Amino acid sequence: MLRNILLLLFKGKSLFLLLWFPVLPFLLFSQANITSTVPVSLTKCSRPDSFTVTVYNTTISDTFKSGKLKTVMPNGIRYEAGSVSGTNVSQYNIDTLNKPVFTLPNLLPSSNLRIRFYASAACGLNTGGLLSNNNQLSWTTGSYSNNTSSYA
């Protein structure tokens, strides 16, 4: 459908379409990005360690409103209640400690927000390999998710 609209708009301008068509979906639909920092290793039965998630609004005109960030951590990794920090970031739902949800402030176009929280590894954690979190960002008009780098 998008292709048909573009063909109508740029009829006879095939060079334009040839050059821009592969890039247009990215320009039209990429609205967010997430980067994260995880501990190199998380020791079982030890004190909590720091996790950082940075949320980017990559649009040039849309403010992210009613934002939520859900971080899904492996079973046995527990969010430390009350440990979240970041400008106007707060706990929203921590009923499941390995899947905390945070409320985010409105995020202006071309800006970012850094969120830090602490989590610990339960004594019974059986990793069997490397661990990874899944960060899920949602706001009134969209969503985005990605996985963190691996940690042990």
Side-chain angles (χ1 to χ4, degrees), residues 39 41-51 77-78 80 118-123:
S41 65
L42 195 60
T43 306
K44 294 192 285 187
C45 304
S46 187
R47 61 190 182 130
D49 209 337
S50 172
F51 291 77
I77 305 295
R78 297 183 190 138
E80 292 295 314
Y118 288 82
S120 59
C123 295

Side-chain angles (χ1 to χ4, degrees), residues 19-93:
L19 295 174
W20 283 99
F21 191 74
V23 179
L24 282 174
F26 175 77
L27 294 175
L28 294 173
F29 302 112
S30 179
Q31 298 179 336
N33 192 23
I34 299 173
T35 60
S36 52
T37 305
V38 295
V40 174
S41 65
L42 195 60
T43 306
K44 294 192 285 187
C45 304
S46 187
R47 61 190 182 130
D49 209 337
S50 172
F51 291 77
T52 303
V53 179
T54 304
V55 174
Y56 297 87
N57 177 347
T58 59
T59 68
I60 58 172
S61 62
D62 295 329
T63 297
F64 288 179
K65 296 178 182 173
S66 302
K68 301 278 188 293
L69 174 69
K70 180 178 185 178
T71 298
V72 179
M73 299 179 284
N75 290 329
I77 305 295
R78 297 183 190 138
Y79 165 71
E80 292 295 314
S83 69
V84 68
S85 63
T87 304
N88 296 318
V89 175
S90 60
Q91 292 177 175
Y92 177 73
N93 184 335

